[in-house]
Amino acid sequence: MNWIFLALLALMVALASSVFTESDELYESRTRMEWGDEERDDNDEGDSYSPVKRDLGNCDEYTIQTRPKKFHHNFGELLNYSLLFFEAQKSGKITKSKQKLPWRASSCLSDSGLEGEDLTGGWYDAGDNVKFNFPMAFSSSVLAWSLIEFPDAYKDAGVYNDMLSALKGVCEYFTKCHTGPNEYYYQVADAGLDHRSWQRPEDIVYNREPFRVNDTVPGSDVVSLAAAALATCSVAYKDARKGNRARIFREEAVDLYRFATTNIGTYPPNGYYINNKIGDELLWAATWLHLATGEEQYLQDAEEYFEEYKLRGSAYSFGWADTREGSKLLLYKITGKTTYRDSFTKYMDTCYL
């Protein structure tokens, strides 16, 4: 879960970095909610506060206190640290000369499918050593989106090529997982077994069981997210003028989307990253495939999914479990239709941050 948060953090940091790589003087508003009698910290003595009253209806009134405070932040450095986390999560072959973290080395080089297919690569999940493709695909698509929107921020921070490299590695892993026209491996390693073995990935010796969807086991949701990730990375690589790599990712995304829409249904999550719907994932994939290919059919699919799966309502949050809000923003940018703008605006006015 940690690297899902960092994917969103990188998107926000890239936005901040596009305005300034290193800030001069900014003001921080420190907010306190105080119930009943006012309290003050020892460090607050001598500060000037401006109390602002807020009415909570039936609840007690509370007071927000703010004070100005100067600070300096190097957002380029923060972006570097965010990407280092993903480098630390690497699975598979690691080239020492290209590795920034000396304590990491190659690991799980025997990861394979049920017929011996090569499933090495990708990212480990959070603090364990399982490879969950569902959140991995969401995170990589959001990272690629940040690179598409704010390339200059990454370049100013000196990590543009680092991000391209990270995306290349995870997309190559998704491609390996697509072992047949209607077959896709969505997880490597049993989480229950892994969680009983707290150890470095370099030291793993237990059998890492793979899990897949196919003609008889549907997985429209997890396959759609992989298609969206590859499509998003295709756009990022096209923008970087790496046309051949962009084409490979785009073609793989098209094939995965076809599979996702052929055998409709949710994937079997094995107790983790449980999902019970497919509409927002199909919408996310179709929207990015339209941007990657320019084909109107994908846009038509996206708009049909929006209505068919009743996605006008707000998500609890934008994340691996519900991608609809990102799609709404993209669809508004593509079509200019106020339906998507108004729905996204409502979410932003009420979302949980």
Side-chain angles (χ1 to χ4, degrees):
M1 295 289 287
N2 292 341
W3 46 267
I4 301 173
F5 166 75
L6 281 176
L8 296 172
L9 174 63
L11 179 60
M12 292 185 287
V13 169
L15 171 60
S17 301
S18 67
V19 181
F20 46 83
T21 300
E22 184 168 5
S23 61
D24 293 325
E25 290 188 354
L26 302 173
Y27 285 100
E28 175 188 51
S29 292
R30 194 183 74 177
T31 302
R32 291 195 304 159
M33 295 200 332
E34 297 175 354
W35 302 82
D37 295 335
E38 181 173 319
E39 299 177 358
R40 296 176 68 91
D41 298 329
D42 292 338
N43 294 332
D44 293 340
E45 188 173 351
D47 291 325
S48 175
Y49 285 90
S50 300
V52 180
K53 297 291 184 179
R54 291 288 184 264
D55 184 6
L56 290 181
N58 294 329
C59 299
D60 294 334
E61 189 176 56
Y62 72 93
T63 303
I64 293 180
Q65 305 275 16
T66 62
R67 71 174 177 184
K69 181 179 180 181
K70 296 180 180 180
F71 65 91
H72 297 267
H73 282 314
N74 185 330
F75 286 94
E77 185 177 35
L78 180 56
L79 191 56
N80 267 276
Y81 290 150
S82 298
L83 289 180
L84 275 180
F85 179 86
F86 291 92
E87 187 155 335
Q89 297 303 104
K90 280 184 181 179
S91 179
K93 180 68 176 177
I94 288 180
T95 304
K96 279 293 186 181
S97 61
K98 299 180 180 179
Q99 176 69 11
K100 295 182 179 180
L101 301 172
W103 45 270
R104 280 305 321 277
S106 298
S107 61
C108 295
L109 297 180
S110 297
D111 282 357
S112 57
L114 296 176
E115 278 75 48
E117 303 95 336
D118 178 11
L119 299 182
T120 59
W123 293 326
Y124 297 117
D125 179 73
D128 59 29
N129 298 315
V130 184
K131 294 190 293 193
F132 292 107
N133 290 19
F134 201 112
M136 191 191 307
F138 169 76
S139 296
S140 54
S141 63
V142 173
L143 288 170
W145 189 10
S146 73
L147 191 65
I148 294 166
E149 294 287 348
F150 310 110
D152 290 341
Y154 281 95
K155 291 174 182 177
D156 290 345
V159 293
Y160 184 79
N161 289 329
D162 289 344
M163 176 60 85
L164 284 175
S165 178
L167 295 173
K168 174 177 175 289
V170 77
C171 283
E172 288 176 343
Y173 166 71
F174 292 141
T175 300
K176 290 179 181 180
C177 291
H178 189 200
T179 51
N182 293 337
E183 184 175 89
Y184 176 75
Y185 284 91
Y186 63 87
Q187 180 179 329
V188 178
D190 177 81
L193 176 60
D194 179 86
H195 292 176
R196 292 194 295 271
S197 306
W198 185 258
Q199 59 186 319
R200 299 169 65 242
E202 291 84 353
D203 299 331
I204 288 176
V205 294
Y206 65 81
N207 179 52
R208 292 169 60 79
E209 181 182 359
F211 300 86
R212 66 183 175 183
V213 291
N214 50 32
D215 286 323
T216 58
V217 181
S220 300
D221 43 2
V222 70
V223 177
S224 289
L225 285 187
L230 285 156
T232 313
C233 290
S234 172
V235 176
Y237 263 80
K238 182 180 178 181
D239 291 349
R241 298 183 179 180
K242 297 181 182 292
N244 186 56
R245 184 67 59 182
R247 176 186 57 78
I248 293 172
F249 293 159
R250 182 174 62 251
E251 291 175 354
E252 188 67 26
V254 168
D255 288 344
L256 280 168
Y257 178 77
R258 181 204 53 75
F259 174 36
T261 55
T262 299
N263 189 14
I264 296 294
T266 56
Y267 85 121
N270 301 307
Y272 296 84
Y273 296 105
I274 297 171
N275 187 55
N276 59 7
K277 73 265 183 301
I278 60 174
D280 62 286
E281 292 90 358
L282 289 169
L283 174 63
W284 184 242
T287 302
W288 277 112
L289 275 162
H290 169 69
L291 291 169
T293 66
E295 295 182 16
E296 290 300 312
Q297 182 59 55
Y298 293 115
L299 177 57
Q300 181 179 329
D301 287 353
E303 297 202 271
E304 289 177 357
Y305 294 144
F306 183 78
E307 298 296 340
E308 177 184 353
Y309 292 100
K310 297 177 174 57
L311 297 173
R312 192 182 304 267
S314 296
Y316 176 81
S317 63
F318 175 59
W320 66 267
D322 201 327
T323 56
R324 75 179 75 180
E325 301 304 336
S327 299
K328 291 175 186 177
L329 178 58
L330 291 170
L331 286 173
Y332 173 61
K333 292 178 67 176
I334 294 168
T335 68
K337 293 181 179 179
T338 56
T339 298
Y340 306 120
R341 181 201 64 191
D342 294 345
S343 183
F344 180 73
T345 300
K346 181 180 179 181
Y347 164 73
M348 291 302 294
D349 287 342
T350 59
C351 68
Y352 296 87
L353 297 177

